[in-house]
Amino acid sequence: MAATGTQCPSNTEEPNLTRVSEFLLLGLSEDPDMQPILFGLFLSMYLVTVLGNLLIILAVSSDPHLHIPMYFFLSDLSLTDICFISTTVPKMIVNIQTHSRAISYMGCLTQMSLFANFVCVDDMLLNVMAYDRFVAICHPLRYPVIMNPHLCGFLVTVSLLIGLFNSLLHSSIILQFAYFKVVEISNFFCHPSQLLNLACSDTFTNNIVIYVIGGTFGFLPISGILFSYNKIVSSILRIPSSAGKYKAFATCGSHLAVVCLFYGTGILEYLGTAVSHSPRKGAVASVMYTEVSPMLNPFIYSLRNRDIKSALRRLHSRMA
């Protein structure tokens, strides 16, 4: 069917209707004068994000001093952030350049699945990194034994599998819906909760689905992070000297900043899409979560971490 809205069919009307073939991404603004600005802004953000995270990956992989669990997880997080932002921004840039808002049904489903996958992997990796800091600070003598390469590889693999499961769960739910109330998505990408709200089914059921998935893949990881940092703070407070306390806290300061950024923008994005009745506010909140957070992560780690800064300087001297 064409990319226009349709009324939800009754049982007697279903055989006479076809499935949606494409959706329309309404984006951040329909003002033609704003399109070049948005194009330049998002292209710049995308390039900065990809370059910054690639530098982190190159620095960690090329410097033997950084071949430890903390930086192994950081490089995995950087790679995930590149994939995360690549699921949304390139399509938006192409749409602005071609003056088209259309995305095919399968393209939308693929984008939604990849978004659900990488946001969950990001979530799980932050949880794993919090556990790594917990072991390093609370059990420093046993750290090399506990955080061995086999466990590190296992934790990353589990994170990837959970992300894949989350992606398949979202896809299986959306594939159950053959009809949609409208095909206009008030965002610049196919957001899972908005697709559910557009589906021709009971709104209460849709909301239950959103809360259950959000609770499972959001609350449980953040509970693990809070547990780890509760133990970390308790251990730091038992250190007698102020210098020792500062040194211990400095090892997890960057991670804590990234966690606050990720979940802070995530809460804003949730409030913007699920609670706010303004489509534009929801789209702007999504920008904070999907674009700003991955872009700032490399800066947080490079500016606050001496090891990363030293590795980047050594990488620059080798490339110069």
Side-chain angles (χ1 to χ4, degrees), residues 19-23 25 87 103-117 166-177 180 185 189-192 195-196:
R19 291 175 179 266
V20 168
S21 62
E22 63 180 22
F23 292 94
L25 300 173
T87 62
I103 183 171
S104 67
Y105 175 82
M106 287 307 300
C108 187
L109 186 65
T110 301
Q111 188 182 61
M112 182 211 67
S113 300
L114 291 174
F115 172 82
N117 177 41
N166 185 43
S167 174
L168 293 174
L169 182 61
H170 278 83
S171 298
S172 62
I173 292 171
I174 295 298
L175 284 171
Q176 296 179 32
F177 305 126
F180 294 84
I185 299 175
F189 71 102
C190 295
H191 195 285
L195 281 177
L196 282 173

Side-chain angles (χ1 to χ4, degrees), residues 11 31 33 42 44 53 55 58 71 86 103 105 116 128 132 136 144 166 214-215 217-218 228 233 236 252 280 284 304:
N11 290 334
D31 185 358
D33 295 333
F42 277 87
S44 300
N53 283 288
L55 285 175
L58 287 174
Y71 297 114
S86 295
I103 183 171
Y105 175 82
V128 169
D132 172 72
N166 185 43
F217 293 100
S228 295
V233 171
I236 291 177
C252 56
R280 297 304 177 199
V284 171
R304 294 181 57 87

